[in-house]
């Protein structure tokens, strides 16, 4: 494990192979973490918070080459790198405030004479964190920071595409911030390393963020070992545009929701469900916005659409577009790629049963589906296995609110698109988007601590045999 990279040395460039951590190394790291954790949990909450605040200060004055690293390692354009950096700082600030929240035990009533009871939230011990590449720094900190703040030790397995931003940089940050040795282990590698993290006997809980398919595998392994598991998985999020919406403002929201980070966000707008009366104007405005976006080199500050993460993802996006058009949808704009840069694409006439409607695309593609009335909009929005985010855009807030209340999703936004996330707000999905685990706000304390009950009988109780 390397937690001691000096400033700048964690920037090896995109494509740098990180070593695959072996199962034996994972087990050794878990044992070390379990040894270090009780001392960390015993520290005053203020001491733990101070480490997080120092990490925040380091991130507020990041190494100058960090923006380049975002572009090279993850394909992030400048505004996305800045957005992620801001979100990562938000996670640290929020977690610093959590440190003391689990400390105060609650006195509870006992019905037995002479017995008192109190319950408190205590750390889980060692937490395994497995993350994807699309928001590598922010998603690592979303779990690592609250887990540490609340007194746990952490094993962090970043995605193989982003071993630095999602791993070594996080280790460097906490090392420089004064986190004691043994509490954070960064374990680069792929699925086999992830499985070893889940299986390590000292790991009490796994915080997994990634695809539904991998999440099911993690859940099976963790379930067999009776471990707590929090699953933040894929989405196919509906953006509902009502009849009374301002078509141009709605198209701006929809374009941002589908094209930010080239659509590679779990909460990206996956489907645009638009009332027939505004559909023509909405689709034309959406296409105009798509065509105006500069696509290309993520290191160029003018670029808004950078490359997809790898060739496999590019091939998947191209196949979804081609199959959807072959099934009868119309290609309004885009549909081409240069290198790994896929042009922002608008499809209309998209219906259930077509791949662009049914699947999570994870690319800069905006499928438009027309609905006739609100009942149909709700049925269409809920017609996927996912249930992460949804949004309703309309003129009358009361109507929009009533539609939003009917949607099946862990997060619903009125008057906005679906890319909404703040560290103090609970984040998570239902259905194939997760198992009900949440991050953010009070949910973070629930995720990374557990109840412990202490009762006391004075004088000591006597029993009949
Ligand atoms: P992925 O599932 O392929 O990989 C995610 C992580 O899991 C990586 O670190 C990977 O190495 C690891 N992994 C893969 N198989 C594993 C296994 N069997 N056991 C243990 N670990 C394993 O996901 P991806 O394609 O890299 O990321 C994109 C997906 O993540 C999308 O579906 C997206 O919606 C989802 N995502 C969800 C959220 C959320 O908060 N809900 C956030 C970001 C991304």
């Amino acid at each position: 494990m390397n937690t001691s990279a000096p400033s700048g040395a964690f920037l090896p460039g995109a494509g740098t192979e990180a070593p695959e951590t072996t199962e034996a190394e994972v087990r050794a790291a878990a044992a070390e973490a379990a040894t270090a954790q009780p001392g960390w949990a015993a520290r005053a909450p203020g001491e733990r918070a101070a480490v997080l605040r120092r990490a925040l200060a380091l991130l507020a004055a990041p190494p100058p080459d960090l923006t380049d690293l975002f572009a090279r390692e993850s394909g992030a354009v400048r505004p996305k790198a800045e957005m992620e950096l801001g979100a990562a700082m938000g996670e640290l600030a929020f977690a610093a405030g959590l440190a003391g929240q689990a400390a105060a035990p609650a006195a509870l009533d006992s019905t037995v004479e002479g017995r008192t009871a109190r319950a408190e939230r205590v750390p889980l011990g060692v937490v395994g964190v497995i993350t994807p590449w699309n928001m590598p720094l922010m998603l690592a900190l979303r779990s690592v920071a609250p887990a540490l703040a609340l007194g746990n030790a952490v094993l962090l397995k970043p995605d193989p595409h982003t071993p630095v931003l999602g791993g070594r940089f996080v280790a460097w940050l906490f090392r420089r911030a004064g986190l004691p040795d043994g509490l954070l282990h960064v374990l680069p590698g792929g699925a086999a390393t992830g499985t070893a993290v889940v299986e390590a006997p000292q790991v009490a809980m796994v915080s997994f963020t990634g695809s539904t398919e991998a999440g099911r595998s993690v859940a099976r392994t963790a379930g067999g070992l009776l471990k707590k598991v929090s699953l933040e998985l894929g989405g196919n999020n509906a953006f509902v545009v009502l009849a009374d919406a301002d078509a141009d403002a709605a198209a701006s929201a929809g374009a941002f929701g589908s094209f930010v980070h080239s659509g590679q966000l779990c909460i990206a707008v996956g489907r645009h469900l638009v009332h027939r009366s505004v559909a023509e104007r909405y689709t034309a405005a959406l296409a105009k916005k798509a065509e105006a976006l500069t696509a290309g080199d993520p290191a160029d500050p003018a670029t808004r659409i950078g490359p997809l993460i790898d060739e496999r993802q590019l091939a998947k996006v191209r196949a979804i577009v081609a199959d959807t058009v072959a099934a009868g949808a119309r290609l309004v704009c885009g549909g081409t790629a240069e290198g790994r840069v896929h042009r922002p694409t608008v499809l209309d006439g998209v219906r259930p049963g077509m791949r662009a409607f049914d699947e999570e695309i994870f690319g800069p593609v905006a499928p438009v589906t027309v609905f006739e009335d609100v009942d149909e909009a709700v049925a269409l929005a809920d017609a996927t296995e996912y249930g992460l985010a949804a949004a309703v855009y309309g003129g009358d807030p009361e109507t929009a609110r009533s539609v939003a209340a009917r949607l099946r999703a862990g997060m619903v936004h009125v008057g906005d698109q679906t890319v909404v996330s703040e560290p103090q707000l609970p984040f998570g999905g239902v259905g194939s988007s997760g198992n009900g685990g949440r991050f953010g706000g009070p949910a973070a304390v629930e995720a990374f601590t557990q109840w412990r009950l202490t009762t006391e009988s004075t004088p000591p109780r006597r029993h009949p045999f």
Side-chain angles (χ1 to χ4, degrees):
M1 181 200 52
N2 178 6
T3 56
S4 59
S7 176
F10 51 77
L11 309 181
T16 300
E17 289 299 315
E20 188 90 5
T21 310
T22 65
E23 189 183 335
E25 288 168 332
V26 171
R27 292 205 168 220
E32 204 183 308
T35 303
Q37 187 268 332
W40 176 241
R43 293 210 182 186
E47 282 184 53
R48 296 199 300 268
V51 171
L52 292 156
R53 278 199 298 272
R54 285 196 292 273
L56 172 60
L58 284 163
L59 213 49
D65 30 11
L66 193 65
T67 312
D68 290 345
L69 178 63
F70 270 107
R72 281 183 291 132
E73 197 180 56
S74 70
V77 298
R78 188 70 65 89
K80 190 270 182 178
E82 285 163 2
M83 178 177 89
E84 183 170 354
L85 201 52
M89 288 176 9
E91 294 296 337
L92 284 168
F94 167 72
L98 277 183
Q101 286 196 21
L108 300 172
D109 289 335
S110 167
T111 54
V112 175
E113 183 78 30
R115 177 187 287 160
T116 59
R118 67 174 200 277
E120 61 199 311
R121 298 294 297 193
V122 297
L124 296 156
V126 182
V127 169
V129 175
I130 300 174
T131 53
W133 45 265
N134 63 331
M135 292 282 276
L137 177 61
M138 178 269 190
L139 291 176
L141 290 178
R142 186 171 75 173
S143 292
V144 171
L148 288 174
L150 292 162
N152 300 283
V154 175
L155 306 186
L156 168 63
K157 194 211 80 64
D159 188 274
H161 291 93
T162 47
V164 183
L165 276 175
R168 282 179 62 197
F169 179 62
V170 177
W172 174 85
L173 204 57
F174 280 105
R175 174 93 178 180
R176 290 273 300 244
L179 183 72
D181 285 346
L183 290 166
L184 173 62
H185 297 258
V186 172
L187 309 168
T193 305
T195 302
V197 167
V198 179
E199 288 177 343
Q202 296 87 350
V203 169
M205 180 254 185
V206 178
S207 173
F208 176 87
T209 307
S211 63
T212 297
E213 189 189 354
R216 285 190 212 281
S217 167
V218 166
R220 272 193 296 272
T221 309
L225 295 165
L226 307 182
K227 294 186 181 188
K228 181 175 179 179
V229 60
S230 161
L231 301 169
E232 293 298 339
L233 310 177
N236 186 358
N237 313 296
F239 176 55
V240 180
V241 179
L242 298 176
D244 62 352
D246 172 334
D248 202 58
S252 166
F256 180 83
S258 276
F259 301 140
V260 64
H261 197 30
S262 301
Q264 300 172 112
L265 296 179
C266 57
I267 47 176
V269 171
R271 293 168 299 139
H272 301 239
L273 310 180
V274 188
H275 189 265
R276 181 166 299 284
S277 63
V278 281
E280 202 176 315
R281 273 177 297 143
Y282 177 87
T283 308
L286 186 63
K288 203 165 153 204
K289 286 176 196 302
E291 284 173 331
L293 291 169
T294 307
D297 179 4
D300 180 340
T303 303
R304 292 295 173 269
I305 302 290
L308 297 176
I309 190 70
D310 57 22
E311 293 293 337
R312 200 167 131 249
Q313 188 55 26
L314 175 69
K316 182 185 164 200
V317 172
R318 299 204 72 162
I320 289 176
V321 171
D323 290 352
T324 303
V325 171
R330 182 172 72 100
L331 181 67
V332 183
C333 69
T336 58
E338 208 170 301
R340 277 192 282 121
V341 180
H342 195 283
R343 283 286 324 165
T345 297
V346 176
L347 299 168
D348 78 359
V350 176
R351 300 301 302 171
M354 297 181 183
R355 288 189 67 189
F357 186 98
D358 293 342
E359 296 181 29
E360 181 185 44
I361 304 174
F362 237 55
V365 178
V368 178
T369 301
V370 171
F371 66 83
E372 306 292 341
D373 58 34
V374 159
D375 288 344
E376 189 188 2
V378 172
L380 286 166
D382 290 353
T384 81
E385 62 178 304
Y386 298 106
L388 190 55
V392 184
Y393 209 94
D396 172 35
E398 193 61 43
T399 310
R401 226 175 276 137
S402 70
V403 176
R406 295 173 59 189
L407 301 179
R408 187 181 66 96
M411 300 173 285
V412 185
H413 311 291
V414 175
D416 208 336
Q417 42 74 51
T418 54
V419 182
V420 174
S421 167
E422 297 182 39
Q424 78 286 5
L425 305 179
F427 186 103
V430 299
S432 292
S433 295
N435 64 342
R438 292 286 185 277
F439 296 107
V445 176
E446 284 161 30
F448 297 109
T449 63
Q450 60 195 328
W451 284 114
R452 183 172 57 200
L453 172 70
T454 306
T455 72
E456 196 175 309
S457 294
T458 319
R461 277 176 65 73
R462 299 188 178 267
H463 293 83
F465 55 88

